Amino acid sequence: MARARTGRRPGDSGTRDAILEAARGEFAQHGYDRATIRNVARGAGVDPALVHYFFGTKTELFAAAMQLPINPAELVQALLAGERDLIGERLVGTFLSVWDHAANRDVFIGLIRSAVTDERAAAMLREFAVRELFGRVAVTLGTPDAELRASLVFSQIFGLAVARYILRIEPLASAPGPVVAAAVGPTVQRYISGDLA
Amino acid sequence: MARARTGRRPGDSGTRDAILEAARGEFAQHGYDRATIRNVARGAGVDPALVHYFFGTKTELFAAAMQLPINPAELVQALLAGERDLIGERLVGTFLSVWDHAANRDVFIGLIRSAVTDERAAAMLREFAVRELFGRVAVTLGTPDAELRASLVFSQIFGLAVARYILRIEPLASAPGPVVAAAVGPTVQRYISGDLA
């Protein structure tokens, strides 16, 4: 038993941190798709069941390890719950409401910088975002070309994040969130459910 | 006379390279807006008139120094020359036709990586793109909120470039240029001339 080997008990205050640390290493090394809970558990010296117990699914573990302030599954549900015509605007508004808080932004900016300069970080972000966020929305909606749609949404959200928070291009950087959501929302809406040709 | 000091003559094969090298340093140090032809000339040890003679305007000098395969002024003219309703699609198609050639892509990817990780490179790209490319299109069209529109176009073009060429998100990375231009063009068109609220 790995857990017996390190002597960690589920209640140890360091156990969660050890799992998150192992998860960051596992995602960085293998990317999102090929990372496994089993490897994370082995790296942290705990039983896989404990990883599930603390963090749930691989998606949720990723969100916790990357300090993402959003639970992807809940985000997708919330987006799909309201008016279908306004999914794009809600999606943009949700991202902005999270990122507009400086405390949420640092880890996220680090993710973007790594992804643009390092191929393994790129693979990790790519796989996570397309599969767990945008892909789910498109697949749930049942539109054709779901993967192309997901990657188009990614391109706009990623570019918006860079322009607003990293390059700080005005007036986009200082515009109120709702103004930006109104401007960019229809783009995302069309990518998700509109005519692309 | 600076030229006399270094002994360079207009015909020297190294003069152009010295000017481009000095220009890269000047843009990197001062950003696009505050860079001056006078400083570039001083850095290269030549007369300012020679910089203009070889490279034209500051915009054109920037394009040459960054090895941009597009002359911004010509690009803007070409975009505005055809059907106004299809400016977005032409803009996306033009960028893709340039970047789809691997030879053009390396310097450009370097620009993006620098801009995301280094504040001075960020300022340089931001000022150049907004002022000389997108801003000109919007101003020429005479639409209100030209600066917001320019920054929105920037966000989509930048995100598209990262998704297609750096993160290589499929199927966006491998889709034929015209397919992508048809999908993304209407976004850019709406940002340039559509209703944003």
Side-chain angles (χ1 to χ4, degrees), chain B residues 23-38:
Chain B
R24 280 188 284 270
E26 170 72 2
F27 287 122
Q29 191 178 349
H30 294 124
Y32 181 77
D33 284 349
R34 293 192 301 124
T36 68
I37 294 278
R38 180 174 299 269

Side-chain angles (χ1 to χ4, degrees), chain A residues 113 115-116 119 122 126 147-148 151 154-156 158-159 162 167-169 171-172 183-184 186-187 190-191 196, chain B residues 113 115-116 119 122 126 147-148 151-152 154-156 158-159 162 167-169 171-172 183-184 186-187 190-191 196:
Chain A
R113 288 189 165 135
V116 170
E119 172 49 32
R126 168 173 68 227
E147 292 187 336
L148 178 61
S151 57
F154 182 96
S155 77
Q156 175 61 89
F158 191 96
V162 170
L167 300 182
R168 296 192 307 282
I169 293 180
L172 190 55
V184 177
T187 296
R190 183 173 148 270
Y191 290 159
L196 298 183
Chain B
R113 289 189 164 136
V116 170
E119 172 49 32
R126 170 173 66 227
E147 293 187 335
L148 178 60
S151 56
L152 288 167
F154 183 95
S155 77
Q156 175 61 89
F158 190 95
V162 170
L167 299 182
R168 296 192 308 282
I169 293 179
L172 189 55
V184 178
T187 296
R190 183 172 147 273
Y191 289 158
L196 297 184

Side-chain angles (χ1 to χ4, degrees), chain B residues 114-181:
Chain B
S114 305
V116 170
T117 52
D118 177 82
E119 172 49 32
R120 289 198 296 194
M124 185 177 76
L125 180 62
R126 170 173 66 227
E127 292 164 3
F128 172 74
V130 169
R131 190 173 306 273
E132 301 295 349
L133 291 178
F134 310 126
R136 281 194 190 195
V137 175
V139 165
T140 306
L141 291 174
T143 42
D145 309 321
E147 293 187 335
L148 178 60
R149 291 172 183 282
S151 56
L152 288 167
V153 172
F154 183 95
S155 77
Q156 175 61 89
I157 297 288
F158 190 95
L160 175 61
V162 170
R164 184 170 169 94
Y165 303 113
I166 298 183
L167 299 182
R168 296 192 308 282
I169 293 179
E170 294 295 355
L172 189 55
S174 304
V179 169
V180 177

Side-chain angles (χ1 to χ4, degrees), chain A residues 22 60 112 144 167 179:
Chain A
E60 291 162 325
I112 288 184
L167 300 182
V179 170

Side-chain angles (χ1 to χ4, degrees), chain A:
Chain A
M1 288 292 297
R3 210 194 308 174
R5 181 153 43 81
T6 66
R8 284 204 183 99
R9 298 187 311 277
D12 279 357
S13 64
T15 303
R16 288 177 62 101
D17 288 345
I19 293 171
L20 292 176
E21 185 64 35
R24 280 188 283 270
E26 170 72 3
F27 287 122
Q29 191 178 349
H30 294 124
Y32 181 77
D33 285 348
R34 293 192 301 124
T36 68
I37 295 277
R38 180 175 300 272
N39 280 347
V40 171
R42 189 180 299 127
V46 301
D47 195 90
L50 191 62
V51 178
H52 285 298
Y53 173 77
F54 275 141
F55 296 104
T57 64
K58 184 166 86 169
T59 314
E60 291 162 325
L61 176 62
F62 181 89
M66 300 298 148
Q67 295 180 257
L68 301 183
I70 325 168
N71 175 326
E74 285 175 16
L75 173 66
V76 172
Q77 283 312 309
L79 287 171
L80 296 176
E83 261 190 87
R84 293 262 158 142
D85 289 353
L86 295 174
I87 288 178
E89 193 165 332
R90 283 205 303 279
L91 191 144
V92 175
T94 301
F95 276 107
L96 294 181
S97 69
V98 171
W99 292 334
D100 277 350
H101 291 281
N104 297 333
R105 209 182 300 150
D106 289 350
V107 173
F108 157 73
I109 287 179
L111 254 185
I112 288 184
R113 288 189 165 135
S114 305
V116 170
T117 52
D118 177 82
E119 172 49 32
R120 288 198 297 193
M124 186 176 78
L125 179 63
R126 168 173 68 227
E127 292 164 2
F128 173 74
V130 170
R131 191 172 305 275
E132 301 295 350
L133 292 178
F134 310 126
R136 281 193 190 196
V137 175
V139 165
T140 306
L141 291 174
T143 42
D145 309 321
E147 292 187 336
L148 178 61
R149 290 172 184 280
S151 57
L152 288 166
V153 172
F154 182 96
S155 77
Q156 175 61 89
I157 298 288
F158 191 96
L160 174 61
V162 170
R164 184 170 170 94
Y165 302 114
I166 298 183
L167 300 182
R168 296 192 307 282
I169 293 180
E170 294 295 356
L172 190 55
S174 304
V179 170
V180 178
V184 177
T187 296
V188 173
Q189 186 70 38
R190 183 173 148 270
Y191 290 159
I192 289 176
S193 62
D195 180 14
L196 298 183

